């Protein structure tokens, strides 16, 4: 899936640039997310990469503690996660917003329709905090989730990672999928 | 050509403790023959996704054989799953395609084109793929095919039998699929102890 670079405000991008290491609050470290997922007992990540998640995939491969299931098209990811859940595993889905739109019927039938307590990490392509984006993938994401009655959190930096355990708790408690929208590009390390 | 009912009887006899994930017309025939309903997943409300659910189970439980009873129309809607399955290469995965050239549950309309599913599976990277248009050969070969490491595809040229009526979409039928998935989940958890 092609992706535009999200229009992240300059204050958030500062930490990614050389010499601006003091602005830690603006960074979403791939390795921190992998550690957070390991802490939740995640066994598999069913994913289709996008341009924002390349550092995450590198961190995942380096960590080796969670199995990666690469899919050919995003619509496969939810039913594969359902199968892993039937098998007693704890998968998450990781796709981009444009891929979530492609997965609409799978979300309906194989997540909402079976009360699947899965956490879905959705790359928020085109997101910027000011809301003025020409990218329709960003414009439609939150209305799309509202329409499907899927709850979500938005994560932009390491400071937001405490939302992730909460998303797992909510998914389990409600027996419904829960989305975590990734609002900034993962940083290496 | 092979009849649904005859092929399903053959598969049911040899399934052992394999999990079976079926979709559409195949599910009705399978439900009549299965002796292990606690290991049967019916995908009645997830168009084309049987092979993907089966892949998830196969990856999560590599100690169990997983059979999926797919349709040609269903597989055409999820054709990329062949490459995904081949990429993960689960040795316990057996993909039966009931290839009748029609969308049976919607009244028997033809699929866009009769594809060569055996060739597609091999080109995608399945370890083996077979194509049968007579029951006798299928019955003879099935025990051997089920001993092979997967992913294996078995394409069955099936008599086009249009369903008497479409897939049930009642409150009760829609509630059945999630309940049955939890039955299988519990059976697999028990089998692991």
């Amino acid at each position: 899936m092609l992706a535009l670079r999200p229009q992240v405000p300059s204050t958030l991008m500062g930490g990614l640039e050389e010499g601006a290491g003091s602005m830690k609050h603006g960074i979403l470290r791939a390795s921190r997310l992998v550690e957070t997922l390991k802490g939740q007992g995640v066994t598999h990540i069913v994913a289709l990469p996008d341009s924002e998640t390349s550092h995450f995939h590198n961190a995942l491969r380096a960590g080796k503690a969670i199995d990666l299931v690469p899919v050919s098209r995003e619509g496969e990811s939810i039913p594969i996660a359902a199968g892993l859940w039937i098998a007693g595993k704890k998968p998450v889905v990781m796709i981009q917003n444009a891929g979530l739109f492609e997965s609409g019927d799978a979300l309906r039938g194989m997540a909402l329709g079976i009360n699947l307590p899965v956490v879905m990490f959705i790359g928020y392509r085109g997101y910027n905090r000011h809301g003025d984006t020409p990218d329709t993938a960003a414009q439609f994401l939150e209305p799309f989730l509202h329409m499907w009655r899927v709850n979500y959190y938005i994560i932009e930096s390491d400071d937001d990672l405490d939302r992730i355990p909460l998303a797992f708790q909510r998914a389990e408690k409600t027996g419904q999928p829960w989305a975590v929208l990734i609002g900034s590009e993962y940083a290496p390390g | 050509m092979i009849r649904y009912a005859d092929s399903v009887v053959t598969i049911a006899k040899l399934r052992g403790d394999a999990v079976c994930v079926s979709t559409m017309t195949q599910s009705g025939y399978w439900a009549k023959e299965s002796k292990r309903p606690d290991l049967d997943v019916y995908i009645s409300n997830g168009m084309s996704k049987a092979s993907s659910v089966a892949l998830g189970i196969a990856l999560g439980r590599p100690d169990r054989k997983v059979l999926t009873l797919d349709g040609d129309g269903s597989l055409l809607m999820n054709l990329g799953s062949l490459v995904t399955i081949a990429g993960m290469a689960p040795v316990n995965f057996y993909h039966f395609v009931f290839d009748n050239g029609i969308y049976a549950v919607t009244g028997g309309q033809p699929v866009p084109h009769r594809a060569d599913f055996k060739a597609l599976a091999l080109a995608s990277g399945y370890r083996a793929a077979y194509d049968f248009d007579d029951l006798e050969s299928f019955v003879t070969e099935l025990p051997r095919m089920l001993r092979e490491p997967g992913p294996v595809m078995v394409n069955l040229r099936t008599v086009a039998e249009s369903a008497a009526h479409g897939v049930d979409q009642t409150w009760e039928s829609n509630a059945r699929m999630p309940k049955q998935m939890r039955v299988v989940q519990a059976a697999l958890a028990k089998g692991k102890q």
Side-chain angles (χ1 to χ4, degrees):
Chain A
M1 188 67 65
L2 294 174
L4 300 176
R5 189 182 180 88
Q7 297 174 9
V8 181
S10 58
T11 51
L12 292 176
M13 288 298 291
L16 294 176
E17 293 168 4
E18 199 173 346
S22 61
M23 299 184 70
K24 301 291 188 193
H25 67 279
I27 300 172
L28 179 57
R29 285 187 186 81
S31 58
R32 288 285 305 277
L33 180 59
V34 172
E35 287 306 312
T36 304
L37 295 179
K38 280 162 64 178
Q40 292 301 309
V42 170
T43 58
H44 295 76
I45 297 180
V46 188
L48 199 151
D50 57 78
S51 54
E52 287 91 351
T53 55
S54 62
H55 291 307
F56 177 82
H57 284 270
N58 292 341
L60 188 62
R61 288 194 179 93
K64 294 181 182 174
I66 304 175
D67 288 339
L68 177 65
V69 183
V71 296
S72 307
R73 192 157 170 79
E74 292 90 342
E76 299 171 49
S77 60
I78 291 171
I80 292 173
L84 285 161
W85 167 78
I86 292 169
K89 301 299 180 183
K90 190 169 183 177
V92 298
V93 165
M94 189 170 286
I95 55 179
Q96 199 183 53
N97 45 7
L100 181 66
F101 304 145
E102 195 276 322
S103 307
D105 191 58
L107 174 62
R108 177 199 61 80
M110 302 307 302
L112 298 166
I114 65 168
N115 303 317
L116 181 68
V118 70
V119 176
M120 305 183 297
F121 290 83
I122 309 297
Y124 204 155
R125 189 187 100 189
Y127 175 78
N128 66 61
R129 196 177 286 178
H130 303 296
D132 180 20
T133 173
D135 189 343
T136 54
Q139 292 168 7
F140 287 122
L141 178 57
E142 293 183 64
F144 178 94
L145 291 169
H146 295 160
M147 185 189 78
W148 291 96
R149 302 177 196 157
V150 173
N151 288 302
Y152 59 91
Y153 300 126
I154 300 178
I155 286 183
E156 295 176 83
S157 74
D158 290 352
D159 293 340
D160 301 326
L161 288 173
D162 61 352
R163 300 294 88 184
I164 291 175
L166 208 53
F168 281 97
Q169 287 171 26
R170 295 283 191 264
E172 281 298 328
K173 196 169 181 179
T174 61
Q176 289 295 318
W178 203 281
V180 174
L181 312 184
I182 304 299
S184 60
E185 190 169 347
Y186 295 103
Chain B
M1 287 290 185
I2 299 171
R3 299 186 67 83
Y4 275 106
D6 297 333
S7 55
V8 163
V9 166
T10 305
I11 297 167
K13 277 182 187 164
L14 293 175
R15 66 99 58 102
D17 67 353
V19 177
C20 183
V21 184
S22 61
T23 190
M24 301 299 169
T25 308
Q26 295 72 252
S27 291
Y29 287 99
W30 184 255
K32 290 177 191 160
E33 297 301 330
S34 172
K35 303 291 188 290
R36 292 295 307 271
D38 58 324
L39 294 174
D40 295 337
V41 178
Y42 298 108
I43 306 300
S44 57
N45 200 9
M47 191 170 61
S48 79
K49 299 301 188 296
S51 58
S52 299
V53 173
L55 173 62
I57 298 173
L59 295 174
R61 287 299 300 267
D63 57 317
R64 291 271 184 154
K65 280 187 165 62
V66 179
L67 318 179
T68 184
L69 310 186
D70 212 348
D72 53 345
S74 294
L75 182 55
L76 286 172
M77 291 183 204
N78 194 13
L79 206 51
S81 69
L82 293 179
V83 177
T84 304
I85 291 161
M88 297 308 294
V91 295
N92 54 337
F93 189 92
Y94 299 85
H95 195 164
F96 295 86
V97 180
F98 290 75
D99 180 4
N100 62 4
I102 61 169
Y103 297 108
V105 295
T106 59
Q109 303 89 343
V111 297
H113 181 67
R114 297 300 296 270
D116 183 342
F117 290 105
K118 174 185 169 185
L120 284 168
L122 291 172
S124 299
Y126 274 49
R127 287 201 173 90
Y130 302 92
D131 194 11
F132 294 96
D133 63 4
D134 73 285
L135 183 67
E136 192 180 345
S137 304
F138 172 60
V139 170
T140 304
E141 292 295 319
L142 185 58
R144 182 188 60 75
M145 293 187 292
L146 288 174
R147 287 194 299 271
E148 284 189 54
V152 171
M153 175 183 282
V154 181
N155 191 62
L156 300 169
R157 306 279 176 144
T158 311
V159 176
E161 297 174 40
S162 184
H165 61 86
V167 175
D168 284 343
Q169 290 295 345
T170 63
W171 291 105
E172 293 75 18
S173 66
N174 287 342
R176 212 172 293 140
M177 185 170 77
K179 278 185 191 166
Q180 181 60 19
M181 286 177 169
R182 284 161 174 82
V183 167
V184 176
Q185 190 182 49
L188 288 174
K190 195 176 171 187
K192 208 172 179 181
Q193 288 166 357

